[in-house]
Amino acid sequence: MSDQPAKRSGLFSALRRAVTGEARPAPPPPSGEPLPEAPPPTEPPQDLAPPPTQVPQVESVIPGRADAPPVPPASQPEPPPEALPEPPKKAGWFQRLRQGLFKTSAQLSQNIAGIFTKRKLDADTLQELEDTLIQADLGVDTALRITDALAKDRHDKEISPEEVRAVLAAEVERTLAPVARPLTTEEADRPHVILVVGVNGTGKTTTIGKLAYRLTLEGKTVMLAAGDTFRAAAIDQLKIWGERTGAEVVARKVGADAAGLAFDALTRARENDCDVLLIDTAGRLQNKQALMDELEKVIRVVRKIDPTAPHQVLLVLDATTGQNALNQVEVFKDKAGVTGLIMTKLDGTARGGILVAISARFGLPVHAIGVGEGVDDLSAFDAGEFARAIAVG
């Protein structure tokens, strides 16, 4: 037989070893000698890819489920504490007040500078100043007092815009000082019932939540009554404020009788020995007689339990409404017996001077002002700070 197939087989084997890197087999040992030990296995080449790793199965987790397994920590390491930026420090109250009244102050300063730059104080400049102050909603009475004070000692003399603003600040403070009174509650009136009124959009419900926050910090137990039964959003909003402040909220379904709810809330507040009861009301437009009549009904029903209640009636005003706020004060004062004012949204208008006009005309206590949406952006009213912020900036 020919040995051609064997040679072809050897050729194929050599070719396979060349491609795969297989070592050539050692020749068999001589007869009678033991076989040599097998060499240890060699490490795979470093350039070969390692075998794929097994991906662990991740169980689907639904947040909030009681039976949900704990979520493993993120694989990405957290930065060291020193790498985290420090939280921004909130500005002090006066700084926030200045920022809130910036539009009002800037407009006044610009107009005053335009009138008095290199001009003498004569009848024409006084008339221009009076018009400017009235346009800023400071009121006719306040404008006349300021121009009279300037004309008394400086007539026909040059005067700087800074001097005019100083006189403006002094007259504004003189008007506001008698009405700047912090909100207080009497221990003898327990629960102390505060009825909060105002038209839609003034921030009335939010103001109630901020008042509850302040009173809670003072150590008082507070209850809230969701008396704006016409709006589901107002009821839900007051419930959220109740959760934030730890105050119990008495609420009913939308469309429920507001007077009946106020009656139930006062009854419950007396049973729970609460310090303060804050009653929300619907945003009644002052020209809607039927709604104003319902507000009077709420007061009558509350007085069936406590003849002295409500102990305070707070009117929440929106500074952006300007002269219309004067009409609101007049009507609510007549229908609901308003005892004090809270003004909001001073940071969104150039008409912050309306508070001066209201104070000069009605003389109602101004308990607090708001210059933002934060829970601590409602602060006790200070006449001097307000005057400096609006006149000097």
Side-chain angles (χ1 to χ4, degrees):
M1 274 182 76
S2 172
D3 61 349
Q4 189 68 25
K7 292 180 180 179
R8 188 180 298 115
S9 175
L11 179 62
F12 288 160
S13 297
L15 180 62
R16 185 181 69 250
R17 287 194 300 270
V19 173
T20 62
E22 183 179 351
R24 182 182 181 90
S31 179
E33 295 184 6
L35 292 174
E37 294 183 0
T42 60
E43 294 291 331
Q46 295 299 319
D47 57 344
L48 294 181
T53 57
Q54 185 69 22
V55 178
Q57 295 293 325
V58 179
E59 184 177 354
S60 177
V61 178
I62 302 177
R65 283 273 300 272
D67 56 346
V71 180
S75 58
Q76 185 69 22
E78 296 184 359
E82 60 270 16
L84 296 176
E86 293 185 2
K89 295 180 180 179
K90 195 162 189 178
W93 169 250
F94 181 66
Q95 182 64 26
R96 281 181 281 163
L97 180 62
R98 290 181 61 187
Q99 293 171 356
L101 290 172
F102 174 76
K103 292 182 180 179
T104 303
S105 176
Q107 181 171 308
L108 274 171
S109 297
Q110 181 179 0
N111 292 339
I112 290 173
I115 295 172
F116 289 97
T117 301
K118 296 182 180 180
R119 289 180 63 182
K120 291 184 178 181
L121 187 67
D122 54 19
D124 291 337
T125 55
L126 285 173
Q127 184 60 54
E128 289 182 45
L129 176 62
E130 183 179 321
D131 293 342
T132 294
L133 298 176
I134 292 174
Q135 291 172 6
D137 289 318
L138 288 167
V140 176
D141 294 340
T142 303
L144 288 174
R145 284 199 305 273
I146 293 170
T147 53
D148 288 346
L150 287 170
K152 184 177 180 180
D153 300 321
R154 299 173 176 84
H155 192 269
D156 204 28
K157 298 178 181 179
E158 287 191 1
I159 184 171
S160 68
E162 291 75 18
E163 291 178 280
V164 176
R165 291 202 300 269
V167 173
L168 170 61
E171 290 299 323
V172 168
E173 183 174 3
R174 184 178 304 175
T175 301
L176 296 177
V179 301
R181 304 179 199 169
L183 181 66
T184 58
T185 59
E186 298 293 336
E187 290 292 336
D189 305 323
R190 190 170 182 173
H192 189 90
V193 181
I194 301 176
L195 189 68
V196 185
V197 300
V199 302
N200 286 328
T202 59
K204 177 169 46 62
T205 305
T206 300
T207 298
I208 292 175
K210 294 178 181 181
L211 286 175
Y213 174 77
R214 288 183 55 194
L215 292 167
T216 302
L217 290 181
E218 295 174 6
K220 300 184 184 299
T221 55
V222 181
M223 181 176 290
L224 309 179
D228 188 355
T229 56
F230 290 100
R231 294 191 305 129
I235 298 173
D236 294 339
Q237 187 179 9
L238 207 63
K239 289 179 178 178
I240 293 174
W241 277 109
E243 294 175 358
R244 290 177 179 175
T245 60
E248 181 180 353
V249 180
V250 177
R252 299 287 182 270
K253 63 181 181 180
V254 178
D257 179 54
L261 183 140
F263 184 92
D264 294 343
L266 180 52
T267 301
R268 187 171 182 83
R270 288 164 67 95
E271 293 173 351
N272 293 353
D273 198 24
C274 290
D275 294 313
V276 182
L277 171 63
L278 290 165
I279 303 178
D280 192 8
T281 59
R284 295 168 173 79
L285 297 175
Q286 66 271 20
N287 59 346
K288 300 293 184 181
Q289 187 59 43
L291 295 177
M292 298 302 295
D293 291 342
E294 184 175 337
L295 179 57
E296 292 178 319
K297 178 184 175 183
V298 170
I299 296 174
R300 290 197 306 270
V301 168
V302 166
R303 286 177 178 168
K304 291 182 178 180
I305 301 176
D306 184 351
T308 64
H311 304 104
Q312 296 188 66
V313 179
L314 303 183
L315 173 61
V316 179
L317 296 169
D318 180 349
T320 63
T321 59
Q323 291 293 316
N324 191 38
L326 289 165
N327 186 36
Q328 293 177 25
V329 176
E330 186 171 5
V331 175
F332 278 102
K333 184 174 181 292
D334 178 57
K335 294 294 184 181
V338 172
T339 61
L341 307 175
I342 294 177
M343 179 156 281
T344 64
K345 305 183 183 179
L346 281 166
D347 55 325
T349 180
R351 310 173 76 177
I354 191 60
L355 184 58
V356 182
I358 292 172
S359 300
R361 179 172 173 180
F362 296 101
L364 287 168
V366 180
H367 297 304
I369 55 175
V371 289
E373 296 298 326
V375 70
D376 58 345
D377 288 329
L378 184 75
S379 181
F381 180 62
D382 185 289
E385 289 183 349
F386 187 90
R388 290 195 301 275
I390 199 173
V392 182

